[in-house]
Amino acid sequence: MEDNLVIVESPAKAKTIKKFLGKNYLVKSSYGHIRDLEKKNYGIDISNDYQPKYVIPENKKEVVKELKELAKKAKVVWLATDEDREGEAIAWHLYKVLDLTSEKTRRIVFHEITQEAIRKAIENPRAIDMNLVKAQQARRILDRLVGFELSPVLWKKIKPSLSAGRVQSAALRLIVEREREIMNFTPTSSFSLTADFTDGNSEFKADLSQKLDEKKEALKVLEHAKNAEFHVDEVNKKPSKRNPAPPFTTSTLQQEASRKLGFSVARTMSLAQRLYEAGKITYMRTDSVSLSNAAIGSAKKIIQKKFGEKYLKTRQYQTKSKGAQEAHEAIRPTYMNNMEVSGSEAERKLYNLIWKRTIASQMSSADFEKTTIKINISNDPHQFVAKGEVLIFDGFLKVYMESTDEEKEEESKGLLPEVKRGQKLSYKIIKAIERFTHHPPRYTEASLVKKLEELGIGRPSTYAPIISTVQERGYVVKEDRYGTPRNYREIVLEKSAIKEETRTEMAGAEKGKLFPNDIGMLVNDFLKEHFKEVINYNFTANVEEEFDQIAEGFLKWSEMIDKFYQPFHEKVEETLEKSGRNTGERILGTDPKTGRQVAVKIGPYGPMVQLGTREEEEKPKFASLQKGQHIETITLEEALKLFDLPRKLGTYEGNEVIVSTGRYGPYIKHNSKNVSLKREDDPFKIDLDRAIQLIEEKRERDRKKTIKSFSEDKNLVILKGRFGPYISYKDGNYPIPKKKEAEKLTLEECYELINNKKVKDKQKQSSRKQTSGKTASKGKGSKKQSTGKGRTNKVSTQKKGSQSTKKGTQGKGKQKSQSKKTNSSSGNKGSK
């Protein structure tokens, strides 16, 4: 038996660390957290300083049992979890659950998994930092209180199965407010004039220095330009520099991977985690932009060898982030001389991005020469301006150039001819093109992370969960949307003749943008009305700062929670008692054919139009809104059109072909089978030929993925799936165990697998109902707040069974007064 037991969070990390340790070390994984708050009564003793009640989940009991046995046999237990708050909390939970003692326990941390880093960590063990543990615990408890109290309010007042959280709701507010800006935006048009000039030898482009509001103004300039003379008024040349971006932090890595590689924020973090655990990059959750001296030295050697001395300019970047996390270095390769690494294609791409960004940060600036030529029009106050930019020395651009989220019109910047002041020019063609103002851009995942960071909302460990949660809850959808045709006018002056044309462009196309759904907008409005503090940006950022203060030992965590919870709980009670149900209903008018009321609202399956009321003798009719339609903006005419569905298109193979719409969007119904329409198909315009094409395409796809079918029951088929073979039958899909051969299954065996799955699902449902129960705990009374100014010490692992938090001596076990607090600055937490 090995004398040393090393415990980390993941098997991948364990495998990498094992390579650097001797035979006397056994490395095991805890598979993440081994304890969590129990579900009953929030898992928090509210009346006892918010003390958490932890339980070991069922799926972790075997892991804990094994680790306990190994810990008893080991002479020394090394807790080698990550160095951030989450990792510190895992280490503390392991210490408590495994009944470890300070004599045989060592806490070690490192921000990269290399032999040197592991060696240094083992030589310099430290105590568990209880301030970090308390900060993590405070976040977890605040999350639980907000989630468990606020979500049921949404269930009762809006719709079941909704959720709200402190950071999640603030992020939703950003997306909803941007969407409303866009809804209320009215584009205005103006004319941009661009000319192709020649000096007799070469041609170049120049733009009129100002946009013209009216067509008549553009025509006036063009008419005058027919016979005008053009002279160079001014030539300005000046050098400029462009500096490299600093090495990656968590947020900038997420942003660049989104822009350059098209990765979602969650995927980027998953890939970065794998690269870190494989020892290929440093720790991936960090606010720091600094590099170690050793890393800078390695980068220096590579730049000198690969590009030459003139490309080298070492820099030490300073971290400006207020609440910088505990990790001490930017994200960089662990071995700078490895330009490439093994792994999946996505891992290799992300690693390559990190390598290039790190190397570029230590390279020379790029040198440019910017040239501006101003051109006069005789007897006209307007001027044309040509701008050129010439790269003199590429510097860091030889390796890497940072992307942006800016949605700007393309500017032509290139080499301009050598011209002199007063020199005469002639035009080849001048175009006046109608251009429209753009609405504010919708958020991408990358630009939302940037905005969250700017506002101080969330931390490196929470950006990905925030963005994933608002999408998983159905509040926000990330998708591409086609533009709509828009006419614009183009007036061209060529060879002294003016001609005007109307052209068409696609306007409003979106790629990978975040769109709020109606339910997301309704939830946001409800929270804004009843829980302003919960979605207040400043409050959410202040809570993050308070977590930082707890981590530094300047603030007592239970007092911070109490300050938030007391007014928040009162508001929850008040809202449950006094506010009405909110479905976002909007009366659009009356149907001219029937005289019945037409309304739009949130229904059981999403936004819908209702024709008629429940008070009438005739039952109301319902129709789902189409993609891109909103409760706030749909018109009466658009709403009534929805009742044109279902629509009969004709017959095919003796069966009717019907286009309809449902919970998952528009579809074709034929011979008891449904075929989804594609994004480009309009259910109100699709014809029979297109419907048949879609039916046949679906059949071909089904043929390719069908493993087996049964003549005795045509509703049951065995299909190939993304995660292996499965049974498709009437009301759902049923997985086939790996030990079963799908091709050899009989019909009876399929029925048995279906029934077994249904029984298991019922048992799970029943179990959930038994454990959920109503949470009866009410908020405890308000407490006198202490300043929490003095810095507390790090609590070591020296005392066996020491608690994570000590109960305050003031008023221990006593019921506090129920007086209301007037200084309520409550807030809201995003579920992780």
Side-chain angles (χ1 to χ4, degrees):
M1 172 66 197
E2 295 86 347
D3 289 338
N4 296 277
L5 173 64
V6 181
I7 305 175
V8 296
E9 304 96 325
S10 77
K13 187 175 173 183
K15 187 179 176 183
T16 307
I17 289 174
K18 179 65 180 169
K19 295 174 189 173
F20 304 123
L21 296 172
K23 292 180 180 178
N24 203 26
Y25 287 85
L26 175 65
V27 188
K28 300 297 287 185
S29 169
S30 69
Y31 295 88
H33 280 277
I34 57 163
R35 287 202 301 186
D36 196 8
L37 297 173
E38 67 176 21
K39 294 285 190 290
K40 189 180 178 184
N41 294 327
Y42 304 166
I44 302 161
D45 189 349
I46 293 174
S47 61
N48 185 24
D49 265 349
Y50 304 93
Q51 289 302 310
K53 297 177 182 178
Y54 291 113
V55 292
I56 300 168
E58 202 62 42
N59 65 341
K60 288 297 175 74
K61 286 184 176 175
E62 281 302 313
V63 175
V64 169
K65 184 182 176 184
E66 182 193 14
L67 291 176
K68 264 190 175 182
E69 289 171 359
L70 293 170
K72 279 180 185 176
K73 295 173 186 175
K75 289 181 181 176
V76 180
V77 177
W78 304 82
L79 302 177
T81 49
D82 291 341
E83 63 175 333
D84 59 7
R85 295 170 196 174
E86 213 66 35
E88 206 70 22
I90 293 172
W92 177 76
H93 283 294
L94 285 166
Y95 182 83
K96 301 296 290 179
V97 172
L98 303 185
D99 297 322
L100 300 177
T101 62
S102 59
E103 291 76 25
K104 67 180 290 183
T105 307
R106 308 285 185 272
R107 171 74 174 120
I108 56 172
V109 294
F110 36 83
H111 70 274
E112 60 181 341
I113 306 174
T114 62
Q115 188 155 13
E116 179 63 12
I118 302 297
R119 183 186 64 77
K120 281 186 179 177
I122 286 174
E123 287 174 359
N124 299 281
R126 64 164 173 79
I128 291 173
D129 188 337
M130 287 308 301
N131 291 325
L132 297 185
V133 175
K134 289 171 187 176
Q136 186 274 344
Q137 189 166 260
R139 182 188 288 279
R140 185 74 187 93
I141 288 171
L142 194 60
D143 287 359
R144 177 61 68 89
L145 289 170
V146 171
F148 273 42
E149 293 223 350
L150 199 52
S151 297
V153 177
L154 299 181
W155 303 345
K156 289 176 183 176
K157 300 300 179 180
I158 299 178
K159 187 173 173 274
S161 302
L162 300 177
S163 79
R166 182 176 55 86
V167 186
Q168 157 196 335
S169 300
L172 176 63
R173 179 185 167 191
L174 281 169
I175 297 166
V176 169
E177 287 183 346
R178 178 56 54 86
E179 193 66 26
R180 290 219 168 98
E181 282 182 65
I182 293 167
M183 285 177 174
N184 296 326
F185 181 82
T186 304
T188 57
S189 69
S190 60
F191 285 83
S192 298
L193 271 69
T194 303
D196 286 1
F197 286 108
T198 178
D199 63 353
N201 296 312
S202 55
E203 290 182 19
F204 62 97
K205 288 185 182 297
D207 299 317
L208 200 69
S209 57
Q210 67 185 87
K211 290 183 177 180
L212 306 175
D213 294 333
E214 301 287 340
K215 176 186 167 183
K216 62 183 180 183
E217 292 179 72
L219 280 169
K220 185 179 176 182
V221 173
L222 292 176
E223 283 289 351
H224 182 76
K226 274 184 187 179
N227 305 307
E229 290 187 349
F230 300 89
H231 291 90
V232 175
D233 176 53
E234 199 177 301
V235 180
N236 285 322
K237 289 186 179 183
K238 62 177 182 179
S240 71
K241 282 185 181 292
R242 192 179 301 169
N243 295 318
F248 281 130
T249 61
T250 302
S251 72
T252 54
L253 176 63
Q254 290 169 345
Q255 291 168 52
E256 275 292 83
S258 175
R259 299 180 195 121
K260 279 188 167 16
L261 306 176
F263 292 170
S264 69
V265 167
R267 189 181 185 201
T268 297
M269 291 312 292
S270 173
L271 293 167
Q273 177 103 24
R274 278 186 243 161
L275 289 170
Y276 165 68
E277 290 176 348
K280 293 167 184 174
I281 63 168
T282 52
Y283 193 55
M284 65 286 159
R285 294 189 186 97
T286 176
D287 282 329
S288 175
V289 292
S290 66
L291 295 175
S292 67
N293 291 332
I296 292 173
S298 296
K300 180 179 177 180
K301 287 177 185 175
I302 290 164
I303 294 163
Q304 286 171 324
K305 184 179 177 182
K306 199 169 182 61
F307 307 110
E309 195 68 39
K310 67 177 180 177
Y311 281 91
L312 176 67
K313 185 181 179 182
T314 57
R315 298 172 177 83
Q316 186 56 275
Y317 294 88
Q318 296 301 313
T319 301
K320 295 176 184 175
S321 176
K322 273 191 202 172
Q325 292 285 284
E326 297 77 27
H328 306 300
E329 226 183 321
I331 302 167
R332 61 163 175 83
T334 49
Y335 303 102
M336 302 291 280
N337 54 335
N338 290 343
M339 282 182 63
E340 295 178 352
V341 292
S342 58
S344 68
E345 185 184 359
E347 285 171 0
R348 293 198 305 273
K349 282 181 178 178
L350 189 65
Y351 178 86
N352 186 251
L353 193 69
I354 295 167
W355 186 90
K356 285 181 174 178
R357 175 85 163 219
T358 309
I359 292 294
S361 73
Q362 303 303 312
M363 293 178 72
S364 302
S365 304
D367 294 329
F368 294 87
E369 184 181 73
K370 289 189 174 181
T371 303
T372 303
I373 301 172
K374 293 182 180 179
I375 302 159
N376 283 339
I377 311 168
S378 60
N379 302 316
D380 192 310
H382 296 102
Q383 271 191 332
F384 280 95
V385 179
K387 290 182 179 180
E389 185 177 70
V390 179
L391 180 63
I392 305 299
F393 173 62
D394 55 2
F396 75 93
L397 292 176
K398 199 170 192 73
V399 173
Y400 181 86
M401 183 165 70
E402 187 178 27
S403 302
T404 69
D405 292 308
E406 306 301 315
E407 297 183 358
K408 294 178 180 175
E409 290 183 25
E410 287 184 21
E411 291 180 17
S412 55
K413 287 186 177 180
L415 191 62
L416 292 175
E418 287 290 336
V419 292
K420 295 178 181 178
R421 188 177 180 187
Q423 185 174 336
K424 188 176 180 181
L425 303 173
S426 58
Y427 76 87
K428 301 280 280 187
I429 189 171
I430 303 177
K431 289 182 180 180
I433 301 173
E434 186 177 22
R435 289 288 177 236
F436 297 85
T437 51
H438 295 286
H439 59 66
R442 288 183 173 89
Y443 287 107
T444 60
E445 286 194 352
S447 60
L448 183 59
V449 166
K450 187 178 180 182
K451 188 67 177 177
L452 290 170
E453 187 178 36
E454 283 173 5
L455 294 172
I457 297 171
R459 288 293 182 262
S461 59
T462 62
Y463 298 137
I466 291 165
I467 291 170
S468 297
T469 299
V470 293
Q471 293 178 64
E472 287 162 6
R473 299 298 183 195
Y475 296 159
V476 172
V477 61
K478 175 187 170 184
E479 63 185 13
D480 302 342
R481 289 194 182 172
Y482 292 111
T484 52
R486 177 174 68 190
N487 291 335
Y488 68 94
R489 292 167 290 180
E490 183 176 283
I491 311 166
V492 180
L493 168 62
E494 189 174 17
K495 295 178 180 177
S496 299
I498 294 175
K499 63 176 182 179
E500 184 179 342
E501 291 182 359
T502 299
R503 296 178 178 273
T504 304
E505 64 184 355
M506 295 301 287
E510 304 274 20
K511 186 170 176 61
K513 295 295 180 69
L514 298 172
F515 296 84
N517 288 324
D518 279 305
I519 189 67
M521 298 178 88
L522 187 59
V523 166
N524 177 74
D525 293 349
F526 182 84
L527 294 176
K528 202 171 179 181
E529 181 182 352
H530 299 287
F531 298 93
K532 286 181 183 176
E533 295 85 358
V534 165
I535 57 174
N536 180 284
Y537 301 137
N538 290 334
F539 175 78
T540 308
N542 289 340
V543 168
E544 293 295 345
E545 288 181 9
E546 288 182 332
F547 287 145
D548 294 339
Q549 289 174 37
I550 294 167
E552 291 164 8
F554 294 119
L555 184 63
K556 187 178 177 183
W557 73 268
S558 57
E559 290 176 358
M560 177 261 182
I561 297 289
D562 192 62
K563 181 184 171 186
F564 163 80
Y565 181 70
Q566 292 302 322
F568 170 72
H569 179 72
E570 287 173 12
K571 191 66 181 172
V572 167
E573 296 289 302
E574 181 187 321
T575 306
L576 282 169
E577 184 184 340
K578 296 180 180 178
S579 70
R581 188 166 174 77
N582 188 352
T583 60
E585 185 174 35
R586 186 171 146 248
I587 309 300
L588 299 180
T590 304
D591 177 16
K593 292 180 183 176
T594 63
R596 305 181 79 189
Q597 176 184 287
V598 181
V600 62
K601 63 179 182 180
I602 294 288
Y605 302 113
M608 65 179 191
V609 177
Q610 179 175 323
L611 180 60
T613 63
R614 297 194 182 277
E615 290 73 31
E616 295 172 350
E617 190 176 333
E618 186 183 350
K619 285 184 178 180
K621 292 180 180 178
F622 304 95
S624 297
L625 268 63
Q626 298 293 297
K627 184 178 282 189
Q629 292 181 324
H630 278 289
I631 285 177
E632 293 183 26
T633 55
I634 192 170
T635 63
L636 176 63
E637 184 184 3
E638 289 167 340
L640 289 171
K641 191 178 178 184
L642 295 173
F643 290 99
D644 291 347
L645 300 177
R647 189 166 65 91
K648 293 179 182 178
L649 302 180
T651 59
Y652 178 55
E653 297 173 341
N655 293 296
E656 273 191 329
V657 179
I658 297 168
V659 61
S660 188
T661 189
R663 187 177 179 184
Y664 302 108
Y667 63 93
I668 300 291
K669 190 174 184 66
H670 175 254
N671 195 19
S672 302
K673 291 189 182 294
N674 297 338
V675 180
S676 295
L677 265 62
K678 294 190 176 175
R679 284 193 306 177
E680 62 266 28
D681 294 313
D682 184 338
F684 299 101
K685 295 178 182 177
I686 192 170
D687 58 18
L688 181 61
D689 289 341
R690 174 61 178 156
I692 291 169
Q693 184 185 348
L694 292 172
I695 291 166
E696 289 301 331
E697 285 176 4
K698 174 73 164 53
R699 284 176 178 176
E700 182 58 28
R701 287 196 303 273
D702 288 347
R703 275 193 290 271
K704 286 180 180 176
K705 73 177 203 175
T706 300
I707 296 172
K708 193 173 184 179
S709 58
F710 301 90
S711 56
E712 305 97 302
D713 190 342
K714 291 183 179 178
N715 289 314
L716 193 151
V717 285
I718 301 174
L719 302 171
K720 293 175 189 171
R722 187 178 170 190
F723 304 107
Y726 67 95
I727 299 165
S728 176
Y729 185 63
K730 285 183 181 176
D731 53 351
N733 299 327
Y734 304 88
I736 296 171
K738 287 182 180 178
K739 60 185 178 182
K740 300 271 186 187
E741 291 185 53
E743 301 85 355
K744 295 180 181 178
L745 285 175
T746 64
L747 185 60
E748 288 70 28
E749 287 173 323
C750 290
Y751 287 147
E752 189 181 345
L753 288 172
I754 291 167
N755 289 329
N756 289 344
K757 176 72 165 56
K758 286 182 176 179
V759 169
K760 280 183 184 176
D761 288 348
K762 279 184 182 176
Q763 288 172 346
K764 279 183 187 175
Q765 232 174 3
S766 173
S767 174
R768 276 198 294 268
K769 282 179 183 175
Q770 288 171 10
T771 56
S772 59
K774 286 191 178 179
T775 51
S777 287
K778 300 292 179 188
K780 64 171 184 166
S782 59
K783 277 189 191 177
K784 193 173 180 180
Q785 299 292 318
S786 75
T787 59
K789 300 255 174 160
R791 178 174 173 87
T792 60
N793 295 323
K794 291 184 180 181
V795 179
S796 78
T797 53
Q798 310 253 324
K799 292 183 184 177
K800 183 175 178 180
S802 62
Q803 296 297 315
S804 67
T805 53
K806 293 182 181 178
K807 282 172 64 175
T809 55
Q810 55 185 28
K812 180 178 176 182
K814 292 179 184 177
Q815 183 68 31
K816 309 296 186 285
S817 73
Q818 296 296 321
S819 61
K820 285 187 183 180
K821 296 188 178 183
T822 55
N823 62 333
S824 82
S825 56
S826 59
N828 157 356
K829 150 81 185 143
S831 51
K832 275 189 166 189

